[in-house]
Amino acid sequence: MVREKIRVSTRTLQWKCVESRTDSKCLYYGRFILSPLMKGQADTIGIAMRRALLGEIEGTCITRAKSEKIPHEYSTIVGIQESIHEILMNLKEIVLRSNLYGTCEASICVKGPRCVTAQDIILPSYAEIVDNTQHIASLTEPIDLCIGLQLERNRGYRIKTPNNFQDGSYPIDALFMPVQNVNHSIHSYGNGNEKQEILFLEIWTNGSLTPKEALYEASRNLIDLFIPFLHAEEENLHLEDNQHKVSLPLFTFHNRLTDLSKKKIQKALKYLFIDQLELPPRIYNCLKKSNIHTLLDLFNNSQEDLIKMEHFQIEDAKQIFGTLEKRFAIYLQKKEKMKKMEY
């Protein structure tokens, strides 16, 4: 097929933050502009970015509370000023920042009389609370309050269902969205065919991300969604030269990309993030702490680099390779000499 020549624009798009403020610990505001845009482009970008900011960014919430001393959600306990339902609603309002992937456990274990706040939650090292002063309960008598919590990282909004109740364990409505609101507006200037536009984006977040961080995450997620279309006509990521498989040797990450015959694959790997591998939290956090964010970063690390990472094990590498094979059809060949490392 003969392709038509594509007219390349010589315009250089520029963006900047024109206003940034912190209204409270759980409310950040940012205002950004992008220009110069051709007529209609500002609306295209603005609508896509608003949807991505509100729906595609992940957040961390408390999604379940458990205590053997709680008979049901609407019960009251002597020595606690609030009802159990009110405590669950207070837990719902706590804003968390984390590198968590999937779910993990946290807990509260205090003795009254005292006021219980978010600061009393015992969290894993990779999670933190945005506002430690958030109120949970008031203990009016010398009683013990022990509650197990489940943290989850996800996106969107989840409403608890009646059939999701277990003995002593109660689901909590979860608002995973770090971005609370987004507005976009357009300023047009020029005449006739020379008319251009400036896009204004206003972003409010809950403090788990700054508006600038949210803008970056939303942009990255949009890129991930459009990558398949970018390579639709050129070549699939599954190489046709090897029956739709990419063969990569075990633990030989260094210079691995030089063995790939297609530069387009290297370019694609740059925009495939390790978030898509759905790795366990410990492995994911090990990679992120070592500044490994994309598959390109992963393949540019040598065997020694991986082994030197804190808490990283040979079994972790095997799990990564299995995930690559399952999700991206990247198959890995095991070398006999490398099997000795397992013993």
Side-chain angles (χ1 to χ4, degrees):
M1 181 181 70
V2 178
R3 296 186 180 182
E4 296 179 359
K5 291 184 178 181
I6 301 175
R7 182 171 60 87
V8 180
S9 173
T10 58
R11 293 175 305 130
T12 301
L13 294 179
Q14 295 182 340
W15 76 276
K16 66 178 179 178
C17 178
V18 294
E19 185 179 356
S20 178
R21 67 173 186 263
T22 303
D23 294 331
S24 68
K25 290 183 179 180
C26 294
L27 183 60
Y28 285 49
Y29 172 80
R31 190 165 182 251
F32 308 87
I33 62 172
L34 177 67
S35 67
L37 295 165
M38 297 174 64
K39 184 179 179 181
Q41 288 183 338
D43 207 28
T44 300
I45 298 173
I47 293 172
M49 286 302 302
R50 185 177 189 277
R51 293 183 65 89
L53 283 162
L54 292 174
E56 296 297 328
I57 301 180
E58 292 185 342
T60 304
C61 290
I62 300 173
T63 56
R64 186 172 288 274
K66 182 177 183 180
S67 177
E68 296 178 356
K69 297 182 179 180
I70 300 176
H72 58 82
E73 182 183 3
Y74 296 99
S75 62
T76 58
I77 297 178
V78 176
I80 302 180
Q81 182 172 316
E82 294 82 2
S83 68
I84 299 304
H85 178 73
E86 289 173 327
I87 293 175
L88 294 177
M89 292 300 99
N90 291 337
L91 290 172
K92 174 185 173 181
E93 298 300 320
I94 294 175
V95 180
L96 294 153
R97 181 190 295 115
S98 80
N99 292 325
L100 169 69
Y101 190 92
T103 62
C104 73
E105 303 298 323
S107 63
I108 300 173
C109 193
V110 296
K111 184 177 182 64
R114 59 170 295 179
C115 180
V116 183
T117 65
Q119 188 175 3
D120 296 307
I121 299 177
I122 302 172
L123 294 169
S125 59
Y126 44 82
E128 62 177 304
I129 294 171
V130 172
D131 184 4
N132 283 323
T133 65
Q134 286 182 269
H135 180 77
I136 297 176
S138 297
L139 306 185
T140 58
E141 296 184 13
I143 63 172
D144 293 327
L145 177 65
C146 292
I147 303 176
L149 303 174
Q150 176 182 280
L151 310 184
E152 182 177 345
R153 185 175 177 84
N154 213 317
R155 61 192 181 101
Y157 184 78
R158 182 191 300 161
I159 302 176
K160 62 185 179 183
T161 55
N163 60 355
N164 201 17
F165 289 84
Q166 304 170 6
D167 293 338
S169 178
Y170 303 94
I172 300 174
D173 291 343
L175 182 64
F176 296 106
M177 301 156 57
V179 178
Q180 296 182 335
N181 192 22
V182 181
N183 284 334
H184 84 274
S185 57
I186 302 168
H187 172 70
S188 300
Y189 61 96
N191 297 313
N193 295 331
E194 300 299 324
K195 201 168 188 178
Q196 294 183 327
E197 298 177 337
I198 300 175
L199 173 65
F200 291 84
L201 273 175
E202 292 181 289
I203 303 172
W204 290 262
T205 69
N206 65 1
S208 62
L209 288 177
T210 65
K212 185 177 179 180
E213 290 170 336
L215 192 61
Y216 169 79
E217 289 289 336
S219 302
R220 192 183 73 172
N221 290 337
L222 280 177
I223 290 172
D224 287 348
L225 292 173
F226 286 110
I227 281 291
F229 297 108
L230 183 64
H231 298 277
E233 272 193 6
E234 298 175 357
E235 182 179 29
N236 288 330
L237 293 179
H238 315 312
L239 288 179
E240 297 178 358
D241 296 342
N242 193 25
Q243 297 180 349
H244 307 285
K245 298 178 183 179
V246 182
S247 296
L248 301 174
L250 183 62
F251 280 117
T252 54
F253 286 106
H254 186 60
N255 293 330
R256 175 175 296 183
L257 291 175
T258 59
D259 297 332
L260 301 179
S261 58
K262 304 295 183 181
K263 291 183 179 179
K264 296 167 187 176
I265 294 179
Q266 180 176 352
K267 181 180 179 181
L269 292 174
K270 182 179 179 181
Y271 295 103
L272 290 174
F273 295 87
I274 63 171
D275 307 58
Q276 298 176 327
L277 297 180
E278 297 185 358
L279 298 170
R282 184 179 59 79
I283 301 177
Y284 175 82
N285 291 328
C286 282
L287 296 176
K288 295 289 282 188
K289 287 179 181 178
S290 299
N291 292 320
I292 298 175
H293 304 290
T294 67
L295 295 192
L296 183 62
D297 297 334
L298 181 63
F299 293 160
N300 274 332
N301 277 270
S302 66
Q303 164 193 333
E304 291 75 15
D305 294 332
L306 287 180
I307 298 301
K308 288 179 181 178
M309 289 195 308
E310 187 178 4
H311 305 308
F312 195 87
Q313 304 171 3
I314 293 177
E315 290 74 14
D316 298 335
K318 291 181 180 179
Q319 186 165 356
I320 292 174
F321 298 155
T323 304
L324 288 170
E325 177 180 335
K326 180 180 178 181
R327 294 184 63 82
F328 297 101
I330 298 179
Y331 286 72
L332 302 141
Q333 299 173 344
K334 294 183 179 180
K335 288 189 175 182
E336 290 296 329
K337 64 180 181 180
M338 291 301 176
K339 291 183 180 180
K340 297 179 182 179
M341 298 183 58
E342 301 175 12
Y343 300 98

